[in-house]
Amino acid sequence: MSIIDVTARIRAREPALGYWSVLDSPVSTERIARLGYDYVCLDAQHGLLGYSGLLSGLTAIDAGGVSAGLVRVEANDPSPIGRALDAGAAGVIVPLIDTADDAAAAVSATRYPPKGRRSYGPMRSALRIGPRPADSDATVLVLAMIETAQGLADVEAICATPGLDGVYVGPSDLCLALGGAFPGDPAIASQFEDALVTVREAARSAGVAAGIHTPDGGTAAKRLAEGYTFASVASDLVHLEQVAKSHLTDARDQFRQGEQ
């Protein structure tokens, strides 16, 4: 699937599934990118990779030839947004969007003048996106994270921002913003689910994509069935730990049973 295919699919609100990567491990990222996910998102905000890791990760995703590479940038600022796009990202997920003005700033950072503020220096991205500015402007995805109380309150105006392709729920921060003592706090489960309805309905009304981060494939399927149009699954670090732990448990349990 090409970058253009993924862009068109997400913009058309067609179901899409992605994977989340936080490790600076190009070889494992490439293997994941061959599995069939529509996109692999590299986390430059909380992930364990710097710019060189970002560049290597995007190169590995492209080598897989199946998934598009997205980047969750570290901040709503033209510099990290531009660097991610110059490195070859098909689009960016921008954190901590509180208002429509914040969303407009994010869009502007992904567009070349006169439409926006992106500085011209496409480097690696010129191999596949552009290098004509108009081609890049037409192809790059920009997604705004809804993860704060203010962002939730202003979600309708955010979704209506010209040029914004969609919104993306950060469930951990949104849970805390709603008063949860920790991510996934069951004490506010009802309020959290209500918030998810608010976000997806605002996106539907505006005709933009609605995405969400999920801990596993079953939850991703549930959110898509509820009306979210794309979902990211877990992360490579989480899965590494989970699988390693399960093998250790199996080995110990079976060995002990054999001794009895």
Side-chain angles (χ1 to χ4, degrees), residues 33-221:
R34 291 175 179 269
L35 296 177
Y37 287 97
D38 297 301
Y39 63 87
V40 175
C41 184
L42 303 178
D43 188 354
Q45 183 187 24
H46 294 303
L48 307 173
L49 66 172
Y51 181 74
S52 62
L54 196 68
L55 181 61
S56 297
L58 289 169
T59 302
I61 293 167
D62 288 342
V66 177
S67 305
L70 302 182
V71 173
R72 197 254 294 268
V73 296
E74 62 201 65
N76 186 11
D77 181 273
S79 293
I81 291 173
R83 281 170 69 81
L85 297 178
D86 289 349
V92 290
I93 299 176
V94 184
L96 299 171
I97 299 297
D98 287 331
T99 66
D101 286 343
D102 289 344
V107 172
S108 179
T110 69
R111 304 293 193 259
Y112 289 114
K115 294 182 177 180
R117 300 182 61 205
R118 182 179 175 186
S119 178
Y120 188 83
M123 299 299 142
R124 182 173 174 273
S125 66
L127 298 173
R128 298 168 300 105
I129 309 170
R132 291 176 60 86
D135 294 336
S136 178
D137 288 352
T139 303
V140 166
L141 282 170
V142 56
L143 305 164
M145 290 198 73
I146 304 299
E147 52 186 344
T148 67
Q150 187 175 358
L152 180 63
D154 288 353
V155 67
E156 291 185 2
I158 290 169
C159 287
T161 302
L164 188 72
D165 295 303
V167 289
Y168 185 83
V169 172
S172 294
D173 280 321
L174 183 58
C175 181
L176 297 178
L178 292 171
F182 51 85
D185 186 352
I188 63 152
S190 178
Q191 298 96 305
F192 181 76
E193 292 298 324
D194 288 345
L196 295 191
V197 173
T198 296
V199 174
R200 74 174 190 244
E201 288 303 306
R204 183 189 61 79
S205 296
V208 299
I212 187 169
H213 193 88
T214 66
D216 51 59
T219 304

Side-chain angles (χ1 to χ4, degrees), residues 226-248:
E226 290 170 347
Y228 277 84
T229 60
F230 69 102
S232 304
V233 177
S235 77
D236 44 11
L237 181 60
V238 169
H239 283 157
L240 177 64
E241 181 181 16
Q242 288 176 344
V243 172
K245 182 179 180 181
S246 70
H247 283 297
L248 177 61

